Every structure is written in structure tokens, then in C-alpha cells.
Amino acid sequence: MENHAGRPEVIAALEHGFGHSIRRSPTMNKDMIYYALPVKTDGRTAAVVRVSMAAKDLDELLDRIVFHVVVGGLFIAGMAALLVWYLSKRLTRPVEEMTDGARHFARGDLTYRLPAPRTEEFAALSGAMNGMAVQLHDRIQTVKAQHEELEAVIRSMKEAVLL
């Protein structure tokens, strides 16, 4: 084997402690990547270790890595989308139930009761809305009873006036 002391990666390793080079190998007749490191014994450089790899092999390895990163990224994005969908449904369902209950109350159906959601905040709101419906129903019933009493009084007054 010929002396490689004049190769760029070997020269750089001797000067800087590390060397690399990408060039066409005349022996292999293909693009190669070279790395070189000095081997020191008793503080002196005893040799230089040089390794090489075909650039095409590295490109293929990088292509496989990129493929796995893309597939992994798509998988993670899909899982994140499912998680976001699940959480959004979990958060919007109580709001939809509250909206539906408010519509019942607005139509005058004050006997309708909102189900108690699992979350503490929505459970408090649901309880407050159900309590409001009970109070409104009771007050409407009181007003109706007072109205009926007044009508009865007015009717009896007409009879008394006629007499």
C-alpha cells in the first residue's frame, strides 16, 4: 500500500488533531469520505488512523434516516391530531350540553335539568343553571298563584258591585 502521508485528511489530522476530506478515489473510482485521527504514544504521534466510506453509502444511510424521521413525524402528528380531537370533544361536550340546557330554559321548559359534567368547573356552572331554573320556576308559579288570587278578588268585586 502506498504512503498516505500526503493526503489532505492525514495532513489535517497531524496539524489539527482531526482531519476529513471528501474526494474521488482514483483506486475505487468513486466519491469517498475520509476521516483521520492521530494516534499518540508518550505524547508523540505514532501513527494516523484513517477510515473511509463511499459517499453513496452515506447518502443511502442518510436517505433511510430521513425516511424514518418523516414516517415517525407523520405518526407523531397523527397521534397528536387524535389527542387534540379527543380533548376538544371532551371539552366541547359539556359546553354543548350547557347550550342545549339554556335553550330549554329559554323556551320555558324550566323542569329540564342539566346533567352534571365530570369537570369541577362545568359541574359548578351546571348546578348554578339548574338552581336558576328551579328559582325561576318557583317564582313563575308564585306569580301565577298571585295572578289567580287577584282575578278571583276582581271577579268577586264585580259580583259585590252588582249586588
Side-chain angles (χ1 to χ4, degrees):
M1 180 178 267
E2 65 184 86
N3 187 348
H4 289 76
R7 305 291 167 98
E9 64 276 4
V10 175
I11 294 169
L14 290 171
E15 290 178 6
H16 307 292
F18 173 80
H20 71 281
S21 175
I22 301 173
R23 65 178 189 284
R24 188 146 194 92
S25 167
T27 309
M28 305 284 287
N29 198 27
K30 57 180 158 180
D31 292 332
M32 301 289 287
I33 301 169
Y34 299 95
Y35 290 95
L37 289 172
V39 177
K40 299 198 180 223
T41 304
D42 297 328
R44 288 186 42 231
T45 300
V48 174
V49 175
R50 184 182 83 127
V51 294
S52 65
M53 177 181 206
K56 182 180 178 185
D57 293 342
L58 184 60
D59 287 342
E60 289 172 0
L61 177 63
L62 288 175
D63 288 344
R64 282 198 308 269
I65 290 170
V66 167
F67 172 78
H68 289 294
V69 167
V70 167
V71 168
L74 289 174
F75 175 76
I76 290 170
M79 294 303 290
L82 286 175
L83 180 64
V84 166
W85 176 80
Y86 170 76
L87 290 175
S88 69
K89 283 295 181 189
R90 188 165 181 206
L91 289 174
T92 58
R93 187 174 300 121
V95 173
E96 290 168 354
E97 290 173 351
M98 299 287 168
T99 303
D100 186 49
R103 286 188 186 113
H104 277 275
F105 299 154
R107 286 192 302 261
D109 181 9
L110 298 175
T111 59
Y112 179 81
R113 294 295 171 258
L114 291 168
R118 285 181 258 172
T119 60
E120 188 176 323
E121 294 82 7
F122 286 123
L125 179 59
S126 174
M129 288 179 70
N130 284 336
M132 175 190 69
V134 167
Q135 288 178 2
L136 281 172
H137 184 265
D138 290 348
R139 288 183 183 161
I140 289 172
Q141 294 305 318
T142 302
V143 168
K144 281 183 181 178
Q146 289 174 348
H147 179 71
E148 288 172 4
E149 285 177 21
L150 281 174
E151 279 186 355
V153 168
I154 291 172
R155 260 188 265 122
S156 65
M157 284 177 54
K158 285 181 187 176
E159 292 170 5
V161 170
L162 285 176
L163 286 173

